[in-house]
Structure formats: C-alpha cells, structure tokens
Amino acid sequence: MSSINKWQRTHACGELCAADIGKEVTLCGWVHTWRNHGGVIFINLRDRSGVSQLVFSPDSPTGEAAAALRHEYVICVKGKVSPRPQTMINPKMKTGEIEINASDLELINASETPPFLVNEADADTAPSEELRLRYRYLDLRRPSLQQNIIFRHKAAMYARKYLWKNGFIEIETPILMKSTPEGARDFLVPSRINKGRFYALPQSPQTYKQLLMVSGFERYFQIARCFRDEDLRADRQPEFTQIDAELSFVNEEDIFAIFEGMLSSIFKDCLNIDAVTPFPRMTYKEAFFTYGSDKPDLRFGLPIQDVTDNFTSSQFKVFQSAIENGGKIAAVNANSCGDFTRKIIDELTSLVGKYGAKGLVWLRVTDAGLEGPSAKFLSDVEMNNIKERMSVKTGDMIFIIADKEKTCFTAMGQLRLEIAKLKNLINKDEFNFLWVTEFPMFEFSEEQNRYTSVHHPFTAPMDEDIGLLNGDECYKARSRAYDLVINGTEAGGGSIRIHDSSVQQKIFDILGISREEAQEKFGFLLHALTFGAPPHAGLAFGLDRLVMLMLGLDSIRDVIPFPKTTTGLSLMDNAPDIVSNEQLAELGIKITAGTNEIGKQ
C-alpha cells in the first residue's frame, strides 16, 4: 500500500469526455467494477463525480498489479485518455466516449470483501435495508445514494440563497433548551452540573424564533435540527431537519407569496421544473369532507360526497344506525372499477376497517342497475338517487361507508388512495402543490380528556372566531394555520402567531394549562410578549421529506446520511447504548428498571 502524496490527482473520474482525448491524466478512486477479458483488465474507477473506464494491457507494467485488484480497492492511476472503440461507446455515461489506457498504478488501500456490492448493476440482489444500515458507510458509496445526499445539499443551498436574497438572516438557536412538552415527547438530556435537572432537545425552534421576532430581527431562517420522541414510519425520523423561518409584520398572503417563490426556485434550480404559482388553496373543511384528509393528493379525482341526506328514511339498518348516532354516510364513485373482484373488495373492506370503519358497502353499476349484497336493502328511489348523485355509468363501482363523521371520511380518504393505486391513477412525474388553510384550533383528546392544539398553542385564531374562545363553542374556532401539501404529503406547515399575551392566556385556559403551569413552561415567552411584540408568523418545511418527494422516493431514510430504523436504532454504531455506572453517578441518575444491566444500581 502507498500514500496518495506520491501523485497529484488531475481530474475527477466523472468529468472526462471526448474533448480530453490525448491528455495525460491522474485519477484516484475506488474500484467499482473489475473485468478480465482474455488478459486485458477493464476497471471502472469511481469517485463522487462518476466513473471512468481504465484499460490495463497484459504486457504493460501495470497488468499484473491490475489483475490483483478487487472491488472497493482504493487506487491511483496515470494514463492517456483515448477514444473508446465505436462499438463500446456508452451514450448513457458522460465518460462513455473515452477510456484511460493505464501506464502506472498505485494501490493506496485494499478492502476486505464488502458485505454487499456497491455496484448497483446487481440491483436484483440488493441487500436488506438492515444490512445496508449496519454498513452505512459502504451504503453511502452507492452512486444513487450519493446523488440523493448531493441533491439534498443543493436544495438546502438554493433555499439559503433565496432566503438571503429576500431579506432573511440565518440565526442559530439552542440545541439544549427547556422542556415544553406540548405535542410529541421530548428527548431529555440530564445536566451534570445541575443534578436532577434536564435540558430537552428542541422539537422545533418555535419559542426561540418567536423571541427573535420580539428582538426585532424581522426575518429569520435556519436549517434547523429538530428532535421528537414519537412513533416512526417511512417519512418520519427521531431527528430531522427543517427549513425554518419566522417573519414580522406579515399576513397569510405574504407567507404564501414568499414561500411559493422559494419552492419554485428550488424546483427550478434542482429539477428544472416550473412550479406554477400561485398554488391552489383549500380550507381544512373542504379538504377533509371532499378527500378524507387534511393533506389531499389532487393528482387524481375520486372526490368523496356526503350522501347522508339521501338515506334519511332508509330501512337499511347500517345506514339507520349511523344517522341515529349522529354519524355520516359518505360515498365515492370508483370510475371503471366495476371489474374489481371479490378478493379486491374484501381487501378494501379490511383496509377501511383499519381506520375504524365497521364495514364497506359496494354497488356495482351494470346495464341492469346497481348490484351488490346491500342492494336488496335499498329502495328503488334510493338507488336511483345515488346513481344520479354520483354521476355513474356502466362499469363504475360505488363505495359507501356509514359511521361516525371522522371515521367515515378518514376511512373513505384511505379507500380513495388505495383505489388510485389499484387503477394506476397517480402520475408519479407530476408535482401537485396545495395550501390547506383554516384548520380547527382544537381537537378533543379522549385519552387526556381535554382539548389539545391541532398545530401548537401559539397559533392565532381567525379574527372572526376570537369571540368563540370565551364560550362553550371554542371547539368551533378556526386557526390561522396553513400547511403546504405536495402530492398528498405535508411538506411544510406554519401559522400566524399570537402576539397578544391576553389571547395567549385564553388558549392556555382552553387547553387546561393553568396560569401557574403556563408560567412554569412558557413564562419567558409570555413575558416577552408584553414588551411590544410585533405581529409575526412562521413556516417550516421538512427538508428530508421535501427532498424525498422531489426525488420520488418512498423512504426518508434514503435522503439522510445516517438514519435510524423504525425502532429508533442506529445499527451502525449501536445507539442508543448502555452507559457505565460512573457516568450515571456523575449525572445523579439511578436506573431502577429496564435492560441496561451496566447501569443498574
């Protein structure tokens, strides 16, 4: 093995082209592929920029050394750029017209046999995600994953460029902060110096960025690390990154215009896609009752209709029971789905059951009328009315759910998505942007037996709904919150903030947060609002999720260099891990239960 100091690299592997033919070059990188064709060794040498093909003749001084190379060896090569034979040109590669006839070779570092091939030509035998995460440093060598991370870098840089151009100042906020548990669970950090006390890792910079508005900075942003101890899924991680912003003296229209501009800039610069502005808008109520979701995917139709009034006198017990219990009846016309088999219908029934629906009524539209197990319970008038109302034609299928309002529309929204997948209605090359506005201020938590904030407790109510905060109809109050939805996924969200301490206290009262508790948790912010706080608003985009959407990926883990599993584990370095008794003693902590044997006292 040798030191790289012997040679100076002249070019990156992925930048050579026909214009470089005849040049003497020095390349460094990893052996990506290795082929022996009758003594002639062909190696694709890879670095971050791409690959170049190297040719080693059997009678050259480098032939014997090249024959000993294997995948992922690190080498330096000198040679002349030559044109490839016409039949060997690869138009899919930037370097596909050239090859390097190697004249000298230096082995910098050998590699053990990798647990999986970094070469993506073997995609059919791709390793498990568990294995890739265990050897993440090798996984990150894969060209597609490197491109994901580089794309993420570009998106963040273009966001910075846009925000700086529009008057924002990047300001860092603390990672060790006060625990204010409203929403997801905090990650806690014990203090060694102040035993028995804990910092929290920020779920977001929420309170700090509001304080920056009180401080007069007017336009703040940060590519901020955030931490939430919550159940994980494909688009959620315990630590994630936000493009976080806060502005003073603005309203919703200002927010929409500025951040539509930012997204348009990022999509144009990164994907050369023109995002048409202004983005469409939809109230929460319209989104939920038309699409069964507060983040509807509008790349296809299949709108939901409330057909409760169609069955107010129905003798069908399923419908009778729902109406008598204050529920709703919702229907969707699944166009051209009359060919669904009973197996598919049973699977759809099982799907809606996961979201609480007690059953799924289906009516197949035929030339003879509506057919299905429930058709015999419906009158001719009811069937004619539903056909007309749903604008059906032969070959369609009507699906109906009768249940509690939230269950009914939520389950129907999931059914709508599944039908779109089954019928290939989703254009994966399309980007659909939507603002969802006027969310409810509160929702009632059966588990906590109290109201909780739909967004967070610092969200301002609609001006015309402030009066509702004083009475029993506070649950009707709408907030000045807004979410930016891309292809049915929440990509960002924010709100106009409360800058009046008296209104903030009313919100705390409704949430069951006593004045003492409010002072204990948020006293610093409430006190700051009494010192001439300006009207302000904010928005945060999930950078990881945004990049995932832009690249058309299914998992957020594919755009994060070192992600955790769905159980919050880092398989590569075995975090979280046990700690010694000495470390615990320094922190004044004693573990009384669990599997941390070393930490037990």
Side-chain angles (χ1 to χ4, degrees):
M1 298 183 190
S2 177
S3 168
I4 198 171
N5 293 331
K6 179 178 177 181
W7 291 344
Q8 179 66 45
R9 178 166 65 168
T10 61
H11 294 79
C13 294
E15 69 181 11
L16 296 172
C17 61
D20 297 302
I21 290 173
K23 290 182 180 178
E24 291 285 344
V25 298
T26 301
L27 304 181
C28 301
W30 287 263
V31 175
H32 190 58
T33 61
W34 182 97
R35 309 183 305 280
N36 188 332
H37 289 187
V40 179
I41 306 296
F42 291 89
I43 287 176
N44 274 2
L45 188 66
R46 181 193 74 244
D47 63 13
R48 189 183 75 185
S49 67
V51 299
S52 281
Q53 179 169 282
L54 313 178
V55 182
F56 298 85
S57 301
D59 54 353
S60 73
T62 60
E64 184 177 347
L69 299 177
R70 292 296 181 266
H71 289 104
E72 300 310 306
Y73 279 29
V74 182
I75 63 173
C76 282
V77 175
K78 289 184 177 181
K80 179 177 287 189
V81 181
S82 303
R84 287 197 194 189
Q86 195 67 29
T87 57
M88 300 294 290
I89 290 176
N90 185 346
K92 295 180 180 179
M93 294 173 57
K94 181 180 178 181
T95 61
E97 293 182 277
I98 60 94
E99 58 190 17
I100 290 85
N101 289 315
S103 57
D104 204 352
L105 166 66
E106 194 76 20
L107 173 62
I108 302 300
N109 213 339
S111 171
E112 294 184 8
T113 301
F116 54 85
L117 287 175
V118 173
N119 182 354
E120 290 189 315
D122 299 274
D124 292 339
T125 57
S128 67
E129 184 179 47
E130 180 179 346
L131 185 63
R132 290 193 293 110
L133 291 179
R134 194 172 299 279
Y135 294 91
R136 187 62 165 181
Y137 44 86
L138 295 179
D139 195 31
L140 284 168
R141 289 184 187 176
R142 292 192 298 126
S144 66
L145 203 53
Q146 286 204 346
Q147 290 307 308
N148 291 352
I149 302 304
I150 293 170
F151 185 96
R152 174 195 173 104
H153 156 75
K154 289 180 179 178
M157 291 302 295
Y158 285 126
R160 276 193 168 96
K161 178 181 177 182
Y162 175 89
L163 292 169
W164 167 245
K165 184 178 178 181
N166 282 272
F168 288 78
I169 299 171
E170 185 168 14
I171 306 175
E172 292 181 344
T173 54
I175 291 295
L176 297 176
M177 62 175 290
K178 179 182 178 66
S179 176
T180 55
E182 275 294 319
R185 296 181 184 89
D186 284 333
F187 282 105
L188 300 177
V189 180
S191 170
R192 178 185 60 82
I193 298 172
N194 300 286
K195 287 184 173 59
R197 297 193 176 192
F198 294 81
Y199 300 103
L201 302 181
Q203 295 187 30
S204 79
Q206 183 61 49
T207 53
Y208 289 113
K209 61 183 184 179
Q210 289 194 249
L211 290 171
L212 288 171
M213 296 303 100
V214 176
S215 302
F217 284 98
E218 297 193 17
R219 291 195 174 191
Y220 139 94
F221 87 96
Q222 182 181 187
I223 308 294
R225 297 293 285 166
C226 304
F227 308 85
R228 294 179 189 174
D229 186 4
E230 57 188 351
D231 294 335
L232 306 181
R233 58 193 186 202
D235 64 349
R236 182 183 284 172
Q237 282 277 295
E239 50 182 319
F240 57 98
T241 305
Q242 288 183 173
I243 304 173
D244 193 63
E246 197 82 5
L247 306 83
S248 294
F249 307 112
V250 293
N251 57 29
E252 288 90 337
E253 296 301 324
D254 299 314
I255 294 289
F256 296 160
I258 289 170
F259 291 100
E260 285 176 5
M262 186 189 80
L263 285 175
S264 297
S265 174
I266 293 173
F267 271 77
K268 183 65 175 178
D269 291 334
C270 291
L271 295 176
N272 197 29
I273 288 176
D274 293 311
V276 179
T277 58
F279 298 161
R281 304 175 193 177
M282 184 179 295
T283 66
Y284 165 86
K285 187 174 181 179
E286 182 183 356
F288 183 72
F289 289 109
T290 309
Y291 300 102
S293 172
D294 60 0
K295 45 183 183 295
D297 191 337
L298 302 186
R299 289 175 294 174
F300 60 95
L302 300 179
I304 301 167
Q305 291 198 46
D306 183 344
V307 294
T308 309
D309 59 351
N310 196 79
F311 299 104
T312 51
S313 302
S314 180
Q315 299 303 303
F316 187 20
K317 289 185 178 180
V318 172
F319 293 169
Q320 275 184 345
S321 176
I323 293 173
E324 289 171 0
N325 289 297
K328 292 287 187 179
I329 302 173
V332 66
N333 175 13
N335 308 107
S336 304
C337 291
D339 59 350
F340 277 2
T341 63
R342 188 55 189 261
K343 180 177 182 294
I344 292 176
I345 294 172
D346 288 344
E347 289 172 351
L348 294 176
T349 302
S350 177
L351 171 71
V352 299
K354 293 177 182 178
Y355 294 89
K358 300 179 184 67
L360 179 63
V361 174
W362 57 273
L363 299 167
R364 200 186 310 270
V365 185
T366 70
D367 290 333
L370 298 180
E371 297 179 356
S374 303
K376 60 187 176 183
F377 300 111
L378 303 178
S379 69
D380 290 342
V381 172
E382 287 171 332
M383 286 198 288
N384 288 331
N385 285 346
I386 197 71
K387 283 172 60 179
E388 182 177 350
R389 186 145 180 189
M390 302 305 295
S391 302
V392 298
K393 64 183 184 303
T394 298
D396 291 346
M397 181 89 82
I398 301 173
F399 288 105
I400 304 174
I401 295 176
D403 218 304
K404 294 178 182 178
E405 182 177 272
K406 186 171 183 179
T407 299
C408 178
F409 285 91
T410 299
M412 189 60 85
Q414 294 300 316
L415 177 71
R416 171 182 176 267
L417 291 172
E418 188 62 24
I419 292 171
K421 293 174 185 176
L422 290 171
K423 299 298 286 186
N424 295 316
L425 301 180
I426 302 173
N427 180 359
K428 294 187 177 181
D429 295 326
E430 177 185 351
F431 288 99
N432 185 279
F433 301 87
L434 173 71
W435 290 107
V436 178
T437 64
E438 298 183 24
F439 284 82
M441 281 287 292
F442 313 106
E443 59 185 353
F444 192 79
S445 169
E446 300 287 349
E447 180 182 347
Q448 301 179 50
N449 193 34
R450 67 178 180 91
Y451 285 109
T452 59
S453 295
V454 170
H455 272 62
H456 56 65
F458 312 110
T459 300
M462 300 283 289
D463 290 345
E464 56 268 39
D465 290 353
I466 290 179
L468 296 172
L469 303 180
N470 298 316
D472 295 333
E473 294 187 319
C474 62
Y475 63 90
K476 293 183 179 180
R478 297 163 298 159
S479 70
R480 297 178 70 180
Y482 34 79
D483 280 357
L484 193 282
V485 178
I486 302 176
N487 294 353
T489 297
E490 179 193 336
S495 65
I496 305 296
R497 317 303 190 193
I498 298 170
H499 64 279
D500 185 321
S501 58
S502 63
V503 174
Q504 184 67 75
Q505 188 58 59
K506 288 182 181 180
I507 301 299
F508 287 150
D509 290 342
I510 292 171
L511 296 175
I513 299 174
S514 68
R515 294 176 186 270
E516 294 75 17
E517 185 181 3
Q519 283 299 319
E520 179 184 345
K521 290 181 176 178
F522 311 110
F524 62 98
L525 177 60
L526 296 176
H527 196 49
L529 294 178
T530 66
F531 289 95
H536 56 285
L539 184 64
F541 291 94
L543 177 61
D544 321 281
R545 194 176 293 179
L546 178 62
V547 172
M548 180 189 74
L549 290 168
M550 293 178 74
L551 292 175
L553 301 171
D554 296 322
S555 173
I556 202 171
R557 293 188 289 275
D558 288 334
V559 299
I560 296 175
F562 299 102
K564 307 292 191 295
T565 66
T566 52
T567 55
L569 299 176
S570 174
L571 300 179
M572 183 186 69
D573 56 3
N574 198 36
D577 202 356
I578 57 178
V579 297
S580 69
N581 288 331
E582 289 76 15
Q583 288 174 285
L584 292 173
E586 278 190 323
L587 296 168
I589 292 176
K590 181 178 180 180
I591 295 177
T592 58
T595 59
N596 189 344
E597 296 297 329
I598 291 179
K600 284 187 176 181
Q601 302 289 325

